[in-house]
């Protein structure tokens, strides 16, 4: 019979709130149900599982595509997944300050109690419910700020905020010549899947791993490399052999010509 030894682990528990029949509960307990209070709420457990499914463990940014036409900077909508909550960012069109040579846009991930409403609150002295008011929502809000300067270099993100994008002009008042995303965005389109690729490719556990393998494989092969010259066209060029001779065609095989 094998000998068994129990090994102590740290960080191996996931706890969610449990109530007993006829148990008195308090506001914190209700907030756990909604996720407003993340301690022992099911919400962090679900979000952590989602992050793990895409190979992430910390704050993850998805979306936030950036383009510019020289005047406006267009930012696509995005989502920020934390292990205990979620933030949403709407699509926006930004016009940088006209006096800026360079600058950044940065975001602040803010949490606050909002949406006050009339409530019936328990009066501990009078032992009865009395009219009152209080916040009814815990709100996750993304706040956006611009930091700009009239000379290079561009400013760094403010402490406690996250850099969204960097922009610059060649001259003050000129068109925007560069708009670059600063967020470490994760692209779920590159989520890996376990597949068997043949022939002789083997098992590649991620899409990017397979693409890199194919790129290196093709690069290692010897091919005829050509460059366009004056008067070239884009007709498909094909070659076939017959015995010791080779022939070529550029009209889908209608006419085969021998190499001179």
């Amino acid at each position: 019979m094998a000998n068994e030894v129990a090994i102590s682990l740290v960080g191996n528990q996931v706890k969610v709130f449990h109530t007993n029949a006829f148990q008195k509960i308090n506001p914190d307990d209700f907030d756990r149900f909604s996720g407003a209070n993340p301690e022992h709420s099911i919400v962090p457990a679900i979000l952590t599982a989602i992050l793990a499914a895409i190979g992430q463990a910390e704050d993850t940014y998805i979306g936030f595509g950036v383009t510019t036409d020289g005047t406006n900077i267009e930012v696509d909508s995005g989502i920020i997944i934390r292990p205990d909550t979620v933030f949403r960012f709407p699509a926006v069109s930004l016009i940088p300050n006209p006096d800026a040579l360079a600058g950044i846009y940065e975001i602040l991930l803010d949490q606050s109690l909002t949406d006050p409403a009339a409530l019936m609150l328990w009066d501990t002295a009078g032992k009865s419910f009395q009219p009152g008011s209080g916040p009814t929502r815990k709100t996750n809000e993304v706040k956006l700020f611009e930091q700009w300067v009239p000379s290079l270099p561009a400013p760094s993100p403010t402490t406690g905020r996250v850099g969204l994008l960097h922009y610059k002009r060649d001259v003050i008042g000129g068109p925007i010549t560069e708009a670059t995303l600063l967020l470490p965005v994760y692209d779920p389109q590159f989520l890996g899947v376990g597949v068997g690729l043949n022939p002789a490719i083997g098992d590649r556990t991620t899409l990017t791993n397979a693409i890199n393998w194919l790129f290196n494989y093709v690069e290692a092969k010897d091919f005829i490399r050509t460059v366009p010259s004056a008067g070239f066209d884009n007709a498909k060029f094909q070659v076939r052999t017959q015995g010791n001779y080779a022939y070529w065609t550029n009209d889908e095989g209608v006419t085969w010509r021998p190499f001179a």
Side-chain angles (χ1 to χ4, degrees):
M1 178 181 293
N3 297 307
E4 179 180 272
V5 177
I7 300 172
S8 178
L9 299 175
V10 177
N12 61 321
Q13 293 182 334
V14 176
K15 294 184 178 182
V16 295
F17 187 66
H18 169 78
T19 57
N20 298 279
F22 307 111
Q23 174 184 336
K24 181 180 179 180
I25 58 178
N26 57 44
D28 283 341
D29 300 332
F30 281 106
D31 286 344
R32 289 187 178 94
F33 300 147
S34 68
N37 180 0
E39 183 181 14
H40 299 163
S41 169
I42 192 62
V43 173
I46 294 174
L47 292 176
T48 300
I50 292 173
L51 290 174
I54 60 176
Q56 304 296 301
E58 300 177 348
D59 293 7
T60 300
Y61 303 85
I62 299 175
F64 300 96
V66 172
T67 58
T68 182
D69 60 4
T71 301
N72 295 0
I73 300 176
E74 306 294 334
V75 185
D76 295 339
S77 60
I79 186 171
I80 303 156
I81 306 177
R82 283 182 163 178
D84 61 349
T85 193
V86 174
F87 289 83
R88 294 172 55 192
F89 183 85
V92 293
S93 181
L94 305 172
I95 302 178
N97 191 292
D99 296 325
L101 185 64
I104 64 170
Y105 285 91
E106 57 186 13
I107 57 177
L108 173 66
L109 305 181
D110 183 64
Q111 290 184 307
S112 60
L113 299 178
T114 64
D115 297 69
L119 303 170
M120 295 298 292
L121 303 176
W122 181 254
D123 181 2
T124 56
K127 305 298 182 183
S128 63
F129 285 100
Q130 299 294 327
S133 64
T136 60
R137 300 291 185 271
K138 183 178 182 180
T139 301
N140 291 348
E141 182 179 6
V142 179
K143 296 182 177 180
L144 180 64
F145 304 88
E146 179 185 8
Q147 302 284 347
W148 64 272
V149 290
S151 60
L152 296 176
S156 300
T158 305
T159 301
R161 298 177 183 174
V162 182
L164 173 62
L165 65 88
H166 156 270
Y167 70 85
K168 76 178 186 69
R169 298 182 171 102
D170 290 338
V171 294
I172 293 177
I176 300 166
T177 56
E178 181 181 320
T180 306
L181 185 68
L182 295 177
L183 285 177
V185 170
Y186 173 81
D187 188 349
Q189 296 184 60
F190 288 99
L191 178 63
V193 292
V195 294
L197 301 176
N198 290 299
I201 294 178
D203 292 330
R204 300 289 156 180
T205 56
T206 68
L207 179 59
T208 50
N209 182 246
I211 291 173
N212 287 333
W213 188 95
L214 289 171
F215 176 81
N216 292 329
Y217 180 81
V218 171
E219 281 290 292
K221 294 295 182 181
D222 292 326
F223 294 97
I224 298 175
R225 298 179 183 271
T226 61
V227 294
S229 58
F232 77 95
D233 58 47
N234 292 319
K236 183 186 295 184
F237 177 79
Q238 296 173 288
V239 176
R240 76 177 184 183
T241 60
Q242 184 175 349
N244 294 327
Y245 298 96
Y247 301 85
W248 65 274
T249 180
N250 62 354
D251 56 8
E252 299 292 341
V254 175
T255 304
W256 289 95
R257 302 174 178 86
F259 284 93

